[in-house]
Amino acid sequence: MTTWTSDELHRIAEAEELQAAPLRRDGTLRTPVPVWVVRDGDDLYVRSFRGTAGAWWRTARATRQGHIRSGGVHKDVTFVEVTDEDVNDRIDAAYRTKYGRYGGAYVDPMVASRATTLRLVPR
């Protein structure tokens, strides 16, 4: 299994956002959308601001594959659903820490969207 390098983890985690382009069922990439990204240990996570209604998230969940770019890193990824409550608690805290300056109007929906947590696994 491929893992992130230390440099990739750092560059993506320090970036303000990530461009996510999930792979459609027909094999083409969706237009990239900006999403917030957080790091927990050696893993990177994203969530849908629009919850399960987010079109990019529904595509990522269905095909589990796509391409991301952030912090100068371009990578094909597998999107892995995360249901572990302890991990989601840490992701909640990571969103509040990294993006708290934007206030509750933006951060609260991200924390409330924990059902959409996806771990990014490089391919």
Side-chain angles (χ1 to χ4, degrees), residues 48 50-58 116:
S48 171
R50 299 187 190 282
T52 57
W56 77 266
W57 179 83
R58 289 192 321 269
T116 68

Side-chain angles (χ1 to χ4, degrees), residues 71-93:
V73 176
H74 295 252
K75 203 76 149 176
D76 289 329
V77 297
T78 300
F79 297 103
V80 178
E81 288 186 80
V82 177
T83 57
D84 183 285
E85 292 298 316
D86 291 334
V87 171
N88 270 303
D89 288 344
R90 293 194 307 270
I91 302 311
D92 290 349

Side-chain angles (χ1 to χ4, degrees), residues 5-76:
T5 67
S6 296
D7 182 59
E8 290 170 334
L9 282 169
H10 176 76
R11 290 165 59 191
I12 295 170
E14 291 299 311
E16 190 64 18
E17 59 191 18
L18 174 144
Q19 296 288 319
L23 192 68
R24 294 183 182 108
R25 290 184 194 268
D26 69 5
T28 63
L29 291 172
R30 283 181 50 95
T31 300
V33 296
V35 295
W36 284 354
V37 59
V38 295
R39 178 180 178 177
D40 180 49
D42 289 337
D43 293 312
L44 297 165
Y45 298 89
V46 294
R47 287 180 175 168
S48 171
F49 181 81
R50 299 187 190 282
T52 57
W56 77 266
W57 179 83
R58 289 192 321 269
T59 303
R61 183 174 181 240
T63 65
R64 307 224 186 277
Q65 294 184 29
H67 186 83
I68 60 100
R69 63 179 190 248
S70 181
V73 176
H74 295 252
K75 203 76 149 176
D76 289 329

